[in-house]
Amino acid sequence: RVLQCAQAMSDRRADFSSAAKIASAFAAGAFSMYLLLTKGSKSKESPPGKDSKVDVGAADGGSNLSYQDWIKACQQKRTTAHTERLSSNNISSNKPPPFDSDTLFFPMVESYATAQTTAATVDVERVVEETEKTGMFAPCMVGQLEGQFLKMAAKLFSAKNILDVGTFTGYSAMSFAEGLPSDGTVVTIENDRKTAQVASELFKKSKQAKKISLLIGSATDHMQKFMDEGRQFDIIFLDAE
């Protein structure tokens, strides 16, 4: 249903040049390959529904835990495996480091790409710091590589209206906002109130505050309303269950 809503709201009227289309296809393909190579081994566990009752005895599977309890009991241990999202990238180089391996795997791909990626802004770094400080589940955060990709996509398509489904602590929304013109807007939706509160405070402190509109609640409900209103977006980012 979310995909149907997204398709219906996508603005097909934009006329992009052939070069932009080719660049977009190349970037999307490269990014998909990156995700396949670096994240293919992740756990397939899914969070329970928002109405699930807490059952500590089911902690291993997590099927009967609320979202926040599922994160604490079953997923927090995975945070340590994602240190690339919890540190600043102050490494820069005019000359790429040697890449002499014929095997692509997570440590090498992630480290190499991060070293060649523009460092995040102060506002985005604040999202990382607050996510770590509040003990939020860091792997839910898109991270530096994906964040810069989203920022690039916003600029590439000259987007002005973006829908970000799955705010978490605000990394993706902030990245998109930085790629928009001064009159651009990012509408971001978060179903979990505790997480949304953290994101809201971060947005208010940022230079992008006026560009970001945070909605709390069911994404499908909000998106159905957008459809009824005939509202369209240049980019729709689906990053939620």
Side-chain angles (χ1 to χ4, degrees):
R1 186 181 174 191
V2 171
L3 288 172
Q4 291 174 339
C5 290
Q7 185 178 27
M9 289 186 293
S10 295
D11 188 354
R12 300 185 180 85
R13 295 171 298 176
D15 182 18
F16 304 121
S17 67
S18 296
K21 290 180 180 178
I22 293 173
S24 173
F26 176 80
F31 186 58
S32 296
M33 180 60 72
Y34 158 75
L35 291 178
L36 177 64
L37 292 170
T38 63
K39 300 184 178 180
S41 62
K42 283 189 176 181
S43 171
K44 299 300 182 180
E45 291 180 342
S46 299
K50 62 180 180 180
D51 297 325
S52 297
K53 296 182 179 180
V54 176
D55 179 1
V56 179
D60 291 337
S63 60
N64 294 320
L65 298 178
S66 68
Y67 174 77
Q68 288 296 339
D69 288 317
W70 172 76
I71 289 296
K72 183 177 181 180
C74 304
Q75 298 296 311
Q76 197 61 42
K77 60 185 178 181
R78 292 174 59 201
T79 294
T80 55
H82 293 269
T83 54
E84 80 283 354
R85 290 171 170 79
L86 300 177
S87 61
S88 301
N89 175 30
N90 296 319
I91 302 174
S92 61
S93 173
N94 293 324
K95 183 178 180 181
F99 190 85
D100 55 4
S101 175
D102 58 0
T103 302
L104 298 178
F105 57 100
F106 175 81
M108 181 169 288
V109 173
E110 192 83 0
S111 298
Y112 182 87
T114 299
Q116 306 311 311
T117 299
T118 304
T121 63
V122 173
D123 285 335
V124 173
E125 280 299 327
R126 190 180 295 117
V127 174
V128 177
E129 293 168 1
E130 194 64 21
T131 300
E132 183 176 21
K133 179 181 176 181
T134 55
M136 293 291 179
F137 182 46
C140 284
M141 186 167 54
V142 296
Q144 181 177 330
L145 296 178
E146 294 94 329
Q148 291 290 13
F149 176 83
L150 297 179
K151 182 177 179 179
M152 179 186 71
K155 291 184 176 182
L156 178 65
F157 291 112
S158 299
K160 295 189 68 174
N161 295 290
I162 295 176
L163 177 60
D164 173 42
V165 183
T167 311
F168 190 52
T169 50
Y171 203 118
S172 56
M174 195 80 76
S175 298
F176 271 133
E178 290 183 346
L180 292 178
S182 58
D183 59 344
T185 301
V186 177
V187 176
T188 182
I189 305 173
E190 174 57 49
N191 191 49
D192 184 71
R193 289 188 174 278
K194 179 180 178 181
T195 307
Q197 183 59 42
V198 174
S200 178
E201 293 301 318
L202 288 167
F203 294 154
K204 291 176 183 178
K205 296 176 182 178
S206 75
K207 295 180 180 180
Q208 311 302 324
K210 293 183 179 180
K211 298 181 186 178
I212 304 174
S213 175
L214 172 62
L215 302 178
I216 302 175
S218 167
T220 50
D221 290 346
H222 284 298
M223 293 171 78
Q224 184 62 56
K225 182 179 180 181
F226 292 153
M227 288 179 62
D228 294 341
E229 296 172 346
R231 188 168 181 178
Q232 294 184 317
F233 297 87
D234 301 313
I235 295 176
I236 295 177
F237 181 48
L238 301 179
D239 189 27
E241 290 292 337

